[in-house]
Amino acid sequence: MRVSIGAIVEGGTSLNYKTGNWREFRPVFAAGVAPCREACPAGVDIGRFLREAKQQQFDRAWHTIMEENPFPSICGRVCAHPCEDACNRKEFDEPLAINALERFVGDHGLRNILVPEIPKPKRRETIAVVGSGPAGLACAYHLRRLGYGVDVLERSPLAGGMLKWGIPEYRLPGRVLDGEIERLRTMGIAIKTEVSLGKEFLTKGLKEYKAIFLALGAQKDLSLDIAGESRSGVLSGLDFLGAVKGGNPPPVGKRVAVVGGGNTAVDVARTVLRLGSKPTLIYRRTREEMPGIAREVEEALKEGVGIELLTSPVKISTQRGRGLKLECIRNRMGKPGPDGRRTPLPVPRSNFSIESDTIVVAIGEAHDPENLTQAVHCNEAGVSVDEWGSTGVPGIFAGGDLTPGPRTVSHAIGSGKKAALAIDAFINGWDKGRAQSLFLGNRGSLSMEQWVNPPPMAHQSNRVVTYEDLNRSYFEPKPRESMPHISDMARRIGSFDEVNMGFSEEGALQESQRCFGCGTCSLCENCYTFCPDSSVWRKDPHETFEIDYEFCKGCGICAYECPSHVIEMIREEK
Amino acid sequence: MIPRQDERELFAPGHRACPGCGEAIATRWILKATGTNVIIVSPTGCLETFTSPYMFSPWRVPWIHPLFENGAAVASGIEAALRYKDRSDIRVVVIGGDGATFDIGMGALSGMFERGHPIPYICYDNEAYMNTGIQRCSSTPLLASTTTQPAGRQSWGKDRPKKNMPAIAMAHDIDYVATASVSYPKDLYEKVKKALTMTGASYIQVHTPCCTGWGYPPEKTIEIGRLAVNTGLAPLFEMEAGEIISVHKIGKRVPVEDYLMAQGRFKHLMQSEEGRKEVAKVQRIADHNIERLGLL
Amino acid sequence: MAVALAVKSCKPGVISAYPISPQTHIVEALAKMVADGELNSQYVLSDSEFSAASIVYGASAAGVRSYTASSSQGLLLMTEVIYNAAGTRLPMVLTGVNRALSAPISIQVDHQDTLSLRDSGLIQFYVESVQEAYDMHIQAFRIAEDSDILLPVMICMDGWVLTHSYEPVELIDQKAIDAFLPPYRPVHCLDPEHPLTFGSYAEDDVLMEMKYMIQGAMEKAKAKIGEIASDFHRITGHPGASLIEAYETEKADVILIGMGSLVGTMKEAVDAMRSDGISVGLIKVCCHRPFPAEAILTCCQRAQAVAVLDRGFSMGSEGPLSLDVKAALSNLERPHVLSFITGLAGREVTTETIHWITAEAMEAAKSRRTVRGSQWVDLNRSIL
């Protein structure tokens, strides 16, 4: 080609020189896993629903949660929020109030009577779900979304399981619970109450139903195993709460001793206050070691619940005309036991007594295996299952508190979801590779959305985004929104009104803006802004960016400046 | 010309800049501010070299590379020609390096300022003669090691402070003087836009980290620039009529060690007690900037 | 003043200059014309000659006819830009007012300054009179802007002798000049409508070819100058440019060769010698670059000796003009070429000197003595 005079050339001709072959590493947009999602047993896509909430797209945010968890209003009130403990923002200033935001979005759904889609077509098979607690209902929900017919079989007169009978009104109002359960009925899930099943159901039932999911829960209170426990005036925690929920609170007198440190014990104590009596919690370890949600314990103490820590009950006796006498002993903490928790050791001759009218025992629950032992494998921890909820007996699955594992609502929901997936696979055949890709991170969280209706994604990475991965120069400190609540203690304990009132829309918007969006592109455009080689571009202003690999030199600035760590640098294969 | 994915990018890819080059980022944003109705003049330097191998030009606007020391003079001539043709709507902008601006081209620059041509002169300052191999320039900061004034057994590197070009520019009574940084490209964009509204000359000095010359991994170009700003060593401000009219306030102040330690050209300071003591001189410069300009 | 009038009539868009004796009158006259609204140019006062040349280079790149002038040290300072303009193929017109180069400093005339630019790709004409300067400046713009040439053009005129003297000059009607010199239409220029990149760097695979093309343009210019000159003569009636002017060279035994105002003195001497029966003629080299080797060869091939009078010197070698002449005649055994260095830094060259030079040449021719190197004429050996 003839040389041009004066070495004058046309502009833009550098497009003929492909600097892409300089690269040693290539940037790849890879949506990583946010630690909050990894920690969520229900596998909710928290980053996405917060991003949608931030843009006031509350309907979309609700649908995002509903892809994985059918009970946002419930969880937004009672969940122990492991997501917040994992939140990367907690190392920057304070973690996101994810729990409160889930509640806000869930309540938006209830208020606007939003209905979830059923993405799969109707199938002829019907599945039986035994038990209408969170595990059972979550399983039913996901099965229904997969197209199956579902019969939920509940022994008691009302659906909800532990949610109904074990959590007081001031934490989870009945209308909220009923609203979220009613929604399931409108989807076509049959919830049959006052159904009594015998042990033959586990064999004969498989003729009528294609599979059975056992979600009986753990509803038998453990006993103290001390003298005097059978005296009248000694109640079990779940029985007490159930009676209150049923409208028949038992007479408890003026002074109530509540033995235990978990959520049930705390719920009992705060309920007692609202009945007009004076509760005292008796817990054998220290405050920090109480298994109950820390916030709940704090509120309980603010409301006026008394507490005796490092105290174990020894003996119950009656005193004529003065109610019950609970003899206790003080503890000191010893070395950790087999479960990793420190062993309380009684301090000799530290005995003392507490007088009370009623003693409520709330030290934990167990499942009631009587009908199950012949059909499925079962031990003290519960019915044995694999990570998918399969019992080993074809067609029989189990989950929730009935099986070994953390006794939380979100865990129950997660197990119900996994079992639904396992049931779908059982009926249709496994796709093991695809099933493994559903897991997010390393803590057992799983995406049902990926199974049902995978959203298009250029590249998904299973890498969990850490605090160090984020470029924090782009974040400003901003205090966490606080939950509006009834602050007048007298007013609070004078009724069973819900204590926390939920974020206003303004509060929800402010708080959702604090989300770092770990692993999700927030369209901040840093990659585009800082590319020296004009090689980050997009066709449409509403879409995320792409890399022009013909020219990208792999300098890595885009990955480094991405606040949310959405770009991974991957070695080029030569 | 081959239409490319985003034709608003007036600085096409395929240029030969080092991966992670700060100048390329600055140039993209300068051209976003100028738009297409512009003629760019670049004296000899990194930018000129990596954008003009024969037959491979990324410039989608008219561009001329004259010599090393006459960027400002050639721009003056172009501007006069446009004025003659009654096409003063076409703007002339110089994008030149610190070598061409602070040293060899300072005479021509002074002439351009004195005559008051409506030309924004934008200096991308990577603090040495990078194109020819990282040699010392009057723009090189105190204690930096360069190939012609390296750190050694009897030397801490540059022994003189950085020449204050913005002050020299302002002493010419030109319309607008500003400092900017590659790490804050939107700010640079606004400043270029503002310079283009001036009826006389303006000068913008863009602090431009250079991974090859300063000794840090290429992905950290923006990070290093940010650190420079947040120590107070690269203050961002605007001046009109001899007065400071705006400064960029430092959000979270950083001690100069954090900035110096991150670069190979200063690592000799960290290798001995005396070296670390020398750092105090640099901290004083930062402190002085912060106080004088009110950066906190 | 005549030069200023010539430049004015060519309507340059941008003028830039930096003062240096003896160029000052020209640029001052132009400045006054601009100030009085007679000349619609952008007159840019530069901070140095280097900047002045750069300004003009930039203006030319932007597609506007441009002009500057300098002398001596100023020309040296412009050198980098002139090479650059030639390489970038930009037309610009310069007046080179000849003056000696420092050190030692002198403001008197010789040709060392413009001769030092002879390798750059700049087209150079040396004028003998103010009239010629006037005529040549007008043609210079057209030569530079010719699409086959596209090189800077310099009109060299002896400082003080031609710039600070009074001479009647016949001016040309503006209409005729407009007919001869249409508005500048650039082949390539900086224009947002068609973005071009000027000043690329070229690798070894193309660079030699680009330089070769500059030489090619120089070669083409030889014929083109003739065409343009004919056009000039036809339109204006004034004599057009020529590469050389041959004066009484037919059948001359000795031919003298010189450039610039010195030629006037040489013509006087030649006339006197011829009337004494001496067979001598002279060639005035009008265009030094491109060097009119063929024309000189044709003219000199039957002479016995050629005496070249240089007003400059290539230190370590010989007078530059004589080197060019010797190269042109190198394949011939006859004529014998002698090099004489005369008139440096304004030293007067008298007709006696020219008589003596002619005699020397004649003697060398007859005795077939070979004279190497240059002879420095009128040197005061008593002060060496």
Side-chain angles (χ1 to χ4, degrees), chain B residues 136-273:
Chain B
R136 178 238 203 247
C137 176
S138 60
S139 60
T140 305
L142 189 67
L143 303 180
S145 180
T146 50
T147 52
T148 46
Q149 196 172 24
R153 278 191 289 271
Q154 295 190 9
S155 161
W156 291 115
K158 184 137 184 279
D159 56 352
R160 297 281 302 152
K162 188 183 176 88
K163 184 190 274 192
N164 190 347
M165 269 312 288
I168 292 171
M170 204 64 236
H172 285 76
D173 260 336
I174 60 175
D175 285 4
Y176 177 68
V177 173
T179 54
S181 164
V182 156
S183 301
Y184 299 87
K186 307 269 168 76
D187 173 71
L188 167 61
Y189 172 90
E190 293 300 330
K191 285 169 174 165
V192 175
K193 274 242 174 282
K194 189 161 184 188
L196 287 164
T197 64
M198 300 292 156
T199 52
S202 43
Y203 176 72
I204 301 178
Q205 188 166 297
V206 186
H207 192 242
T208 308
C210 166
C211 45
T212 310
W214 296 13
Y216 62 80
E219 71 267 14
K220 294 222 172 129
T221 289
I222 303 298
E223 171 77 6
I224 297 286
R226 221 184 348 251
L227 281 172
V229 171
N230 288 333
T231 53
L233 288 173
L236 306 184
F237 58 85
E238 292 175 286
M239 287 173 86
E240 283 184 59
E243 300 289 320
I244 304 269
I245 56 159
S246 87
V247 298
H248 165 92
K249 296 266 186 203
I250 295 173
K252 203 165 159 232
R253 185 170 178 182
V254 169
V256 299
E257 275 88 20
D258 289 3
Y259 171 63
L260 302 179
M261 260 175 13
Q263 302 167 62
R265 63 179 176 155
F266 290 112
K267 72 173 188 295
H268 56 281
L269 297 171
M270 305 299 154
Q271 283 162 359
S272 68
E273 246 337 282

Side-chain angles (χ1 to χ4, degrees), chain B residues 36-39 48-49 52-55 57 59-67 69-70 73-74 76-78 80-81 83-85 90 107-108 111-112 115 117, chain C residues 11-14 40-42 44-47 50-51 54-55 57-59 61-64 80-81 84 189-192 195-202 206 210:
Chain B
T36 51
N37 206 27
V38 70
I39 294 174
E48 165 266 321
T49 307
S52 64
Y54 177 67
M55 288 313 293
S57 163
W59 298 98
R60 287 200 176 120
V61 293
W63 180 84
I64 183 164
H65 159 236
L67 294 164
E69 62 281 53
N70 65 0
V74 169
S76 302
I78 297 172
R83 211 168 342 130
Y84 176 75
K85 292 204 280 192
I90 303 174
M112 184 193 102
R115 288 189 298 270
H117 295 268
Chain C
K11 302 180 187 165
V14 173
N40 179 33
S41 299
Q42 292 295 322
V44 187
L45 291 147
S46 69
D47 46 282
F50 179 79
S51 287
S54 302
I55 287 166
Y57 166 96
V64 161
E80 203 187 347
V81 182
N84 209 20
C189 83
L190 293 165
D191 180 359
L196 293 173
T197 291
F198 279 62
S200 303
Y201 80 76
V206 291
M210 290 183 186

Side-chain angles (χ1 to χ4, degrees), chain C residues 118-188:
Chain C
R118 66 190 185 274
D119 296 339
S120 63
L122 174 69
I123 292 177
Q124 297 185 359
F125 289 92
Y126 287 78
V127 301
E128 184 193 337
S129 66
V130 181
Q131 177 72 58
E132 197 183 343
Y134 176 82
D135 291 338
M136 279 311 304
H137 274 86
I138 297 169
Q139 293 170 85
F141 283 98
R142 195 152 141 198
I143 294 167
E145 291 167 15
D146 188 288
S147 57
D148 281 337
I149 302 177
L150 290 176
L151 290 172
V153 175
M154 180 158 70
I155 307 302
C156 308
M157 51 194 295
D158 289 341
W160 305 108
V161 177
L162 296 182
T163 55
H164 286 70
S165 60
Y166 285 93
E167 191 187 298
V169 171
E170 194 183 304
L171 300 178
I172 301 171
D173 186 56
Q174 184 65 51
K175 271 217 268 299
I177 293 177
D178 290 341
F180 167 73
L181 182 67
Y184 172 41
R185 293 233 314 257
V187 167
H188 43 238

